[in-house]
Amino acid sequence: SFAQAQIDLEVRDFKLPHLLALLHGEPPARRVCEIGCATGELIAAFPVAPGGERVGLDISPRHIAAASDRFDAARFAGLRFIAGDFRSVALPAFDLVILSDVLEHVEDDAAFLRDAAQRGARVLINLPLECNWLNRRRAYGPADVSGHLRAYTLAQGLQLVASAGLQVQRWSRVWIDR
């Protein structure tokens, strides 16, 4: 579908390259988990070390069903999807945890980030910086069309990481205007 093509383009040409750039050419991690994976495009494309494992977690069983159908185990070795809250799913620790466009959807973003960080050695965050003129009249909250409870500035995003008791190692601000 057209919507699926848009998502694939966003992952391939925007999210994936910018998240990987934050790793500065480090070798791929062996175990990677994406919390809030939706229909799985990012975690399915994320590189792992040979024999590595990728896990996509989402609270929506419908999203997980779609991801599992699209990225079947026969073609995507080492990739699995789990429906549920990451805080209550029994999983071992990961080398890398990804939160891409998730924190703006949760009520207590600092606690969510802190809990997610306990699942891995490092956390990669993709956070939309929507405090800008394009969104000046947008009514954030439960009724927001995208489910965004809040908008972040860069300073607020960096403060969120500190509020979660984490340290920023690298960050990048990307603006696409097309």
Side-chain angles (χ1 to χ4, degrees):
S1 74
F2 179 72
Q4 189 60 57
Q6 284 182 301
I7 292 168
D8 290 341
L9 180 68
E10 179 184 8
V11 167
R12 183 184 66 243
D13 294 340
F14 182 76
K15 286 184 179 184
L16 186 60
H18 291 291
L19 287 171
L20 291 174
L22 291 172
L23 298 174
H24 286 273
E26 296 173 19
R30 181 151 175 71
R31 303 194 73 237
V32 179
C33 175
E34 182 184 9
I35 297 171
C37 71
T39 53
E41 290 77 12
L42 181 58
I43 191 65
F46 208 87
V48 292
E53 178 185 16
R54 294 170 289 172
V55 175
L57 287 162
D58 201 279
I59 60 169
S60 168
R62 289 178 59 197
H63 283 160
I64 293 302
S68 297
D69 287 345
R70 185 154 185 236
F71 303 105
D72 64 89
R75 292 183 331 163
F76 293 88
L79 175 62
R80 64 186 170 124
F81 295 99
I82 301 170
D85 186 325
F86 74 94
R87 292 166 283 209
S88 60
V89 174
L91 289 171
F94 291 91
D95 302 317
L96 186 63
V97 171
I98 302 168
L99 297 171
S100 180
D101 294 319
V102 171
L103 294 169
E104 66 277 10
H105 295 275
V106 296
E107 199 164 316
D108 190 344
D109 51 356
F112 190 95
L113 176 55
R114 185 174 34 259
D115 293 346
Q118 291 176 6
R119 292 292 187 141
R122 293 183 297 170
V123 180
L124 277 179
I125 302 169
N126 181 45
L127 190 65
L129 302 179
E130 295 177 326
C131 277
N132 57 49
W133 65 272
L134 291 171
N135 294 302
R136 68 181 175 271
R137 297 189 200 288
R138 187 170 174 179
Y140 288 91
D144 178 68
V145 69
S146 298
H148 291 196
L149 300 178
R150 71 191 63 76
Y152 297 96
T153 63
L154 176 59
Q156 289 166 332
L158 294 171
Q159 179 57 45
L160 170 61
V161 173
S163 295
L166 305 174
Q167 242 182 353
V168 173
Q169 292 180 343
R170 297 178 191 101
W171 64 271
S172 172
R173 183 175 186 173
V174 180
W175 173 259
I176 302 293
D177 184 15
R178 290 186 198 195

